[in-house]
Amino acid sequence: DRGQPDFVRAQADREKFGGRVVTLAGPWRLSGEWWRESAFSRDYYDAELSDGGVYRIYRDHHSGEWFADGVYD
């Protein structure tokens, strides 16, 4: 929604989580290694989901894909 997530669903190894975004903080823009082929540019968000969890997610500017980067406990 307007370039920001309103629903998140992720699966990594044996972990699964997902839900509607209740609260969203961000974006925090981060880029680096511009001199390399592996340069990155991302928008990071902290998202509280309806499943009760709070997650760090980001959107990669080069691919447009979304990734889960961490979970707050």
Side-chain angles (χ1 to χ4, degrees), residues 1-72:
D1 185 27
R2 293 171 296 176
Q4 296 180 338
D6 58 3
F7 189 89
V8 174
R9 178 180 25 207
Q11 180 176 347
D13 298 326
R14 293 173 282 180
E15 296 292 321
K16 284 183 171 180
F17 65 88
R20 182 157 299 286
V21 175
V22 177
T23 306
L24 187 67
W28 296 281
R29 294 213 162 138
L30 181 65
S31 60
E33 300 186 8
W34 52 267
W35 61 92
R36 297 181 177 201
E37 285 185 38
S38 61
F40 63 89
S41 179
R42 303 172 179 161
D43 281 345
Y44 281 84
Y45 297 85
D46 288 341
E48 178 186 5
L49 304 185
S50 59
D51 71 357
V54 180
Y55 305 92
R56 170 71 48 97
I57 59 176
Y58 70 88
R59 185 180 72 82
D60 182 88
H61 287 194
H62 297 296
S63 69
E65 294 181 297
W66 288 89
F67 297 90
D69 195 43
V71 59
Y72 293 96

